[in-house]
Amino acid sequence: MRFVTLYPRAKNVQLVKDMGMIPYYIKTLFNEDAKLVTYKNDESYPYLDTVVKGAKVEFIKKVFGRQIDGMIYTFIHAKEIDVLNLYHLNTATFLSEIAYRLRNKKGKIYLKLDISMEGLRTVQIKDPRGFIKRMDIKLADIVSCETKIIQKRLNELFDKEIIYVTNGCLMGDDESLDLSEDVNTNSEKTILTVAKFGTYEKASDTLLYAFAKSADRHDYNLKIIGTVEESFKSVIEKFFSEYPNMRERVIFAGEIHDRAALKNEYRRARIFTLPSRRESFGIVLVEAAYEGCYLVTTEATPAGYDVSDNGKYGLIAKTDDIDDLADKFVKICTDEDFDWNKHAAGISEYAKSVFDWEKIVTYLYGKIKEELKK
């Protein structure tokens, strides 16, 4: 089987996300000819020599932009591809699907949606944009989404099966990680978030103000790992001017590239929060779950339901609701009967059993083989 994931925007980090993991495991587990096709968006791709050693990546030149370049690549190479793997509901996907269908009548298209609740809404809109999105789904032979709540709704909308192919995590599987021996699971009274802080989607302002509103009712700190958007720095200064006592309790740790160091941060923290306004998945939830964190997410983060096992290992707050998010923080931070060790063991075991890339890709591979027999 010749399997091609076409994702022109892939950077080094995408090699350990679904765009890189699916072709990597199809190649390594099943000895198939599987590769990722992308622009060279980073100066180097160090994961090719470490985490995904042996992965096959083809770099293409950026000439007209990803929509046209992807379509041209697909048209030229269609007959050499048995399964074309595309991402997202957009014009680029539509053009590549058409190009592939024109040149390869027997080949199969696998579309991984990576869809948010907002995306679910737009796919139903009766306008040209909605039409393209619906056609993306109709033209594909296999369509999957990452969360069960969206899978259920899509299966109600479309006269075809939408399968559940979630996202996995490598944080718990990398034996090369040199973890600090003095790191005790959930030892710090910390609410942790890992995000590109300050983007609209991540609701960073809601998080800051919700923490401030809850802070006098518990003794936890808020730690933020990730880059801070330049345009958001004035919002942070305004926040600290309104809540000067928060300067010692809100910790900006910056971006952490080292995987061992990041894993240690997850392991130390008791609570992990991702209070997004819009989120297709959020792999950081799985990374945090692997290390035993209690999860606090929002209704706009559909993976929150899956990774918390429908609330068994976390709380779901109303989207963009400062008061409700603050109340959720207080609820878990002040629960004196909560068994942190039991919880950490439970959510970690659950995450490793469900969000394991080998299991995920093995299931997907079976579906692909079934489709190829038709």
Side-chain angles (χ1 to χ4, degrees), residues 82-94:
D82 298 314
V83 181
L84 176 65
N85 173 209
L86 301 169
Y87 278 78
H88 307 303
L89 297 174
N90 54 33
T91 304
T93 293
F94 178 72

Side-chain angles (χ1 to χ4, degrees), residues 41 47 53 66 68 78 89 98-99 156-157 164 173 182 186 221 225 235 254 275 277 283 298 316 331 339:
N41 299 295
Y47 286 161
K53 193 171 184 178
R66 62 184 179 86
I68 304 302
L89 297 174
I98 295 297
E156 293 168 352
L157 291 171
Y164 175 64
D173 299 328
D182 62 347
N186 304 135
N221 291 327
I225 294 176
V235 177
R277 293 185 176 102
I283 290 176
T298 61
I316 310 294
K331 180 179 175 66
D339 189 331

Side-chain angles (χ1 to χ4, degrees), residues 8-76:
R9 291 180 290 177
K11 296 184 177 182
N12 182 62
V13 69
Q14 267 75 44
L15 295 178
V16 293
K17 295 186 178 182
D18 43 357
M19 302 86 177
M21 288 287 93
I22 289 175
Y24 171 73
Y25 276 114
I26 286 178
K27 181 176 183 292
T28 57
L29 292 178
F30 305 106
N31 197 31
E32 300 284 10
D33 182 5
K35 65 181 176 182
L36 168 67
V37 175
T38 180
Y39 296 138
K40 194 166 187 179
N41 299 295
D42 283 338
E43 289 187 9
S44 65
Y45 285 72
Y47 286 161
L48 288 173
D49 298 318
T50 55
V51 187
V52 291
K53 193 171 184 178
K56 189 176 179 181
V57 179
E58 179 181 348
F59 295 107
I60 59 174
K61 290 183 178 180
K62 184 182 291 185
V63 181
F64 302 106
R66 62 184 179 86
Q67 292 185 359
I68 304 302
D69 291 342
M71 179 184 68
I72 293 173
Y73 177 90
T74 303
F75 187 81
I76 292 172

Side-chain angles (χ1 to χ4, degrees), residues 106-249:
K106 295 182 179 180
K108 303 296 181 179
I109 297 173
Y110 165 46
L111 176 59
K112 195 170 190 289
L113 297 180
D114 193 29
I115 188 172
S116 65
M117 297 298 285
E118 174 65 16
L120 179 65
R121 185 187 70 80
T122 59
V123 80
Q124 301 174 68
I125 296 175
K126 305 298 183 182
D127 65 1
R129 183 184 175 197
F131 173 78
I132 291 292
K133 292 176 182 292
R134 292 189 294 275
M135 286 303 298
D136 286 341
I137 292 174
K138 291 177 181 178
L139 287 169
D141 300 287
I142 301 173
V143 182
S144 75
C145 66
E146 294 71 22
T147 59
K148 290 180 179 178
I149 189 170
I150 292 182
Q151 178 201 21
K152 181 176 183 295
R153 295 185 185 181
L154 285 172
N155 275 320
E156 293 168 352
L157 291 171
F158 289 90
D159 186 25
K160 69 187 307 176
E161 180 188 19
I162 310 296
I163 64 173
Y164 175 64
V165 177
T166 189
N167 287 323
C169 167
L170 288 180
M171 294 298 286
D173 299 328
D174 193 338
E175 295 179 358
S176 68
L177 292 178
D178 182 20
L179 298 177
S180 302
E181 294 182 359
D182 62 347
V183 175
N184 296 316
T185 301
N186 304 135
S187 61
E188 295 181 0
K189 289 187 174 182
T190 298
I191 300 171
L192 176 68
T193 193
V194 178
K196 192 172 184 179
F197 206 69
T199 63
Y200 174 81
E201 290 80 4
K202 300 302 179 185
S204 304
D205 50 344
T206 298
L207 174 57
L208 287 175
Y209 284 94
F211 178 77
K213 292 197 75 168
S214 72
D216 62 349
R217 291 175 281 171
H218 61 75
D219 57 352
Y220 281 63
N221 291 327
L222 174 64
K223 181 179 281 190
I224 298 154
I225 294 176
T227 59
V228 178
E229 292 286 282
E230 192 66 33
S231 60
F232 195 74
K233 291 179 179 179
S234 60
V235 177
I236 294 172
E237 284 307 310
K238 181 175 181 292
F239 168 77
F240 281 137
S241 69
E242 294 175 14
Y243 297 94
N245 57 328
M246 290 295 101
R247 289 187 182 274
E248 294 182 358
R249 295 184 62 182

